[in-house]
Amino acid sequence: MKPQDLPEDLLLAFERQRSATASQRDVPWAVRARRLQRLQTLLHSHEAEIVQAIHADFGGRPATETELAEIWPSLEETKTALRHGQGWMKPRRAPVGKWFLPATAQVLPQPLGVVGVIVPWNYPLYLAIGPMAAALAAGNRVMVKMSELTPVFSALFQRLCEQAFSADEVCIVNGGPEVAAAFSALPFDHLLFTGSTPVGRKVMAAAAAHLTPVTLELGGKSPAVITPGYPLAHAVQRILAGKLINAGQTCIAPDYVLLPRAQMPAFVEAARAQARRSHPTGLADADYCSVIHPRHQARLVQALEEATARGTPAEVLFEGPARDDARHRLAPVLLLNPPADTEVMREEIFGPLLPLVPYDDLNEALAFINARPHPLALYWFDHDRARTDAALRQLPAGGVTVNDTLLHIAQHSLPFGGVGASGMGHYHGRWGFDTFSKLKPVFRQSRFNGMALFMPPYRPLMRRLLALMKRY
Ligand code: NAD
């Protein structure tokens, strides 16, 4: 999209932030801290409204899940930035090569300018606040495009940000795919996109026009591997916990399970018992989330029906009805060894369907993962440390949790991001601060130095020095 074709209000909003950036290149910590505090106050003061809005958008999202997986991690991200941001923005000392002494070197983090953030619907608060906190801590101004599938929350968030920030600091944009496409065509200084791999491709192509650097937080099929001998009940409990939160609509939810063939029946039994314990009233359970939209319900039902029509045994884990199309709610279903060319084995599931893929030899499981696009997350259940370490060296993944699911995302010390088809770049904690900063290298020459020796005409002394330099 050419600049003249962009909607005028979007261009104006961008220009406003760009000229504010130009008028304040050096953004002191006090300014950044005030912005982060306003973000924090927004979260504290409007928690109930936020929970309610997201509940309305999903047509039923457990309040506890919103608090646990959205409000709390958003507060953690802002708290971490407030606690450490001032330290992160300090110049970082770097060594100089011995031949350049006594000069000094440092890395100077500098704000990039105007950062764009594109948000999906599945965790609409956290996936907006996480990048915003990092970008604001790094001294940038931020424009955020919310998802059209969460209209109630997106409107609320826009109103709350308009109250808390001036439009040249934070600007929330709402609208459908056309607005999103126009948004990604703005000449941002950095663009972070969270969403699906196909749309990620379009975003990267749009950003290329301005050489806008991108961080792509995409999806994919994240495997869980149960190794021979691992206590099955524990693996089932943790895999279901990771799969059932938000009804499987989590980018790092376990997408399918690789397990020893002989354990398939025991997995089914344990999963059924576990699902009935955690959600005793099945689809009616207040602690179970709806599928976001009838369109996604239809997509999931179609994928399920395709697998069963191809002869795949399906085990519904809840008691009572398996689906409620009117309220777009779908019970968790295990699919036993679906053919590799069914949709559930080709595409990211992003819902409560869980294929079980049996293996006879653990190497088969490694080969299965390695033959597919790099996943966003990998879950490895194993008490054998050496075998685990060997597997982690062999398997590509955006992030790993061993003997549990999802929890690597909650560690600020760990970079969060995909690899290959599951994305590029990282954020969270200091990793996010660095993503949204130019880490500017600075070399400071000392008053006394031998550089004059290295200028033409090149003399014999310089040739002898160069010979020494090559040797040591
Ligand atoms: P999506 O790709 O359909 O939409 C994401 C955002 O992109 C929305 O705001 C949408 O308006 C916008 N968009 C649509 N068309 C666009 C275009 N042409 N140019 C620019 N933006 C455009 O994804 P979704 O359905 O909202 O979210 C589900 C996907 O997101 C899943 O694949 C999931 O794995 C992934 N996801 C990844 C992470 C992560 O951190 N890696 C987190 C959550 C979700």
Side-chain angles (χ1 to χ4, degrees), residues 10 42 50 53-54 57 70 116-132 142-159 161 170-181 183 192-194:
L10 211 49
L42 179 158
I50 292 171
I54 297 178
D57 282 328
E70 301 234 52
V117 175
I118 301 181
V119 185
W121 52 262
N122 63 330
Y123 291 98
L125 175 75
Y126 178 47
L127 296 173
I129 296 277
M132 285 168 79
V142 198
M143 289 180 67
V144 185
K145 156 70 180 71
M146 305 299 290
S147 169
E148 62 279 13
L149 284 189
T150 52
V152 181
F153 172 70
S154 299
L156 170 70
F157 195 60
Q158 185 168 39
R159 184 165 57 75
C161 286
V170 169
C171 170
I172 307 298
V173 175
N174 281 320
E178 319 73 50
V179 174
F183 184 91
L192 183 144
F193 167 80
T194 305

Side-chain angles (χ1 to χ4, degrees), residues 394-462:
Q394 285 184 55
L395 294 172
V400 180
T401 291
V402 176
N403 297 338
D404 214 318
T405 55
L406 311 185
L407 299 181
H408 62 283
I409 196 175
Q411 315 309 314
H412 312 296
S413 55
L414 297 180
F416 182 77
V419 58
S422 57
M424 63 182 71
H426 298 111
Y427 72 125
H428 286 192
R430 182 176 173 158
W431 303 92
F433 178 93
D434 284 0
T435 287
F436 296 122
S437 300
K438 165 60 189 168
L439 298 179
K440 190 158 71 183
V442 180
F443 177 84
R444 290 179 204 269
Q445 185 56 288
S446 74
R447 194 185 296 248
F448 305 104
N449 64 76
M451 278 305 129
L453 269 177
F454 289 84
M455 290 173 190
Y458 301 121
R459 295 172 203 286
L461 175 60
M462 181 262 179

